[in-house]
Amino acid sequence: MQASRIQGVQDPREGKKSHGPAKRQRKTQKLSVAYEASDDEKGEGAKLPEAPGWEPPDWQQQLVNIRTMRSGKDAPVDQLGAEHCFDPSAPPKVRRYQVLLSLMLSSQTKDQVTAGAMERLRARGLTVDSILQTDDSTLGALIYPVGFWRSKVKFIKQTSAILQQRYGGDIPSSVAELVALPGVGPKMAHLAMAVAWGAVSGIAVDTHVHRIANRLGWTKTATKSPEKTRAALEAWLPRELWSEINGLLVGFGQQTCLPIHPRCHTCLNRSLCPAARSRGGP
Ligand code: SF4
């Protein structure tokens, strides 16, 4: 699911601009001069600049190729992801709650099924209060057939009660608080931060991102879980690309780099992809 910020919502991590006195600025400049290397330090024995860390050899071209293949923006995630499932005319905290709910419904579920469940829920007015007033069997019937719908009924009720009691009906604005909610995992938390709060907190890694990162060699060694893949990607991928990666790779995984029988013959990365080569590709 691609991250796009809810309009008019302030990034909670954005601080106020500094308006400190000019005197302090002059002091800072002076300090940076004091740390410049002296002539002696520049000579023999001077500390060499740190070597850049590991990064996959062809990642920049691979990324350009994926952007080209995804330029049509016609994958299910592009029309039905979390940023399309909330009511844009609802108050900000209701929109944020709807984003979180759509993410909770989306695990182990196709985007089309999640979108259908969200439509049925929104038709009744989807707020923390309305969910708490809905009995479990009605809620189950509304979200069916999302994956693990029985467990999700329980988690949605528990999480909604916590949001009402502790957060005034809003959702928390940190990954740590989000993952503490029943039924909310790290991928959902990072996407909620991006879509609901407009904050880049980490790379949201689902099964598509996990699989494709391993196929392309974007992890230094093979990783066995999405959380390990997230850490491996965040170790080298420039931070300004973190919010783009989820939507880009999810759609790529839905259309080309399929879980079984990936369409390597139509993939622009076939000559750069270790997985294509290992399958006897070009
Ligand atoms: S070449 Fe095949 S395995 Fe590699 S990224 Fe493309 S579709 Fe996926």
Side-chain angles (χ1 to χ4, degrees):
M1 289 173 196
Q2 196 166 14
S4 77
R5 168 184 190 166
I6 289 179
Q7 292 298 311
V9 176
Q10 189 188 358
D11 180 345
R13 305 188 321 163
E14 284 171 2
K16 288 181 182 170
K17 281 182 186 168
S18 169
H19 298 290
K23 199 174 163 189
R24 174 177 281 181
Q25 287 171 5
R26 277 201 301 276
K27 199 173 175 186
T28 306
Q29 284 166 0
K30 211 172 174 184
L31 270 177
S32 66
V33 171
Y35 280 111
E36 280 180 8
S38 66
D39 287 346
D40 285 349
E41 286 170 336
K42 286 174 187 165
E44 208 175 323
K47 200 176 171 190
L48 292 168
E50 259 185 47
W54 177 88
E55 62 178 25
D58 299 311
W59 74 270
Q60 297 194 28
Q61 187 56 50
Q62 290 165 333
L63 182 65
V64 167
N65 289 340
I66 294 171
R67 283 185 182 138
T68 302
M69 289 185 274
R70 291 279 289 116
S71 59
K73 297 251 177 265
D74 50 3
V77 69
D78 299 313
Q79 277 87 43
L80 304 167
E83 65 271 48
H84 301 288
C85 283
F86 61 85
D87 175 3
S89 64
K93 75 176 182 183
V94 174
R95 280 183 269 162
R96 288 191 285 268
Y97 174 64
Q98 292 182 355
V99 168
L100 182 64
L101 215 70
S102 73
L103 290 168
M104 292 177 75
L105 293 174
S106 70
S107 69
Q108 308 285 320
T109 304
K110 284 189 182 304
D111 287 334
Q112 296 89 330
V113 176
T114 303
M118 283 299 292
E119 213 176 304
R120 291 189 291 281
L121 290 170
R122 279 176 46 194
R124 298 162 52 97
L126 180 53
T127 64
V128 169
D129 288 340
S130 76
I131 287 293
L132 290 174
Q133 285 160 15
T134 304
D135 63 75
D136 287 7
S137 60
T138 304
L139 184 54
L142 286 166
I143 68 170
Y144 181 85
V146 300
F148 302 100
W149 61 273
R150 285 191 185 85
S151 305
K152 286 177 184 174
V153 165
K154 196 176 71 183
F155 291 145
I156 287 169
K157 280 292 190 71
Q158 291 172 343
T159 285
S160 299
I162 294 169
L163 297 181
Q164 190 185 56
Q165 287 159 13
R166 294 192 204 156
Y167 299 98
D170 207 338
I171 70 169
S173 59
S174 74
V175 170
E177 290 172 295
L178 284 163
V179 295
L181 297 168
V184 178
K187 179 204 81 170
M188 296 176 213
H190 289 300
L191 280 173
M193 289 300 293
V195 180
W197 291 112
V200 179
S201 54
I203 299 173
V205 177
D206 72 344
T207 177
H208 292 291
V209 178
H210 173 61
R211 178 182 73 254
I212 295 165
N214 274 276
R215 282 179 176 170
L216 287 172
W218 282 11
T219 58
K220 194 172 180 181
T221 55
T223 52
K224 293 226 162 77
S225 71
E227 263 306 272
K228 290 207 161 61
T229 302
R230 182 181 63 77
L233 289 174
E234 288 177 2
W236 65 267
L237 190 71
R239 196 177 172 94
E240 61 267 24
L241 299 174
W242 287 10
S243 64
E244 179 191 5
I245 285 300
N246 179 272
L248 197 67
L249 295 193
V250 170
F252 181 52
Q254 290 174 333
Q255 294 184 308
T256 306
C257 196
L258 307 175
I260 304 166
H261 305 310
R263 296 173 179 151
C264 302
H265 59 288
T266 64
C267 180
L268 297 179
N269 279 330
R270 61 190 177 279
S271 63
L272 297 173
C273 175
R277 281 202 289 271
S278 71
R279 289 194 183 90

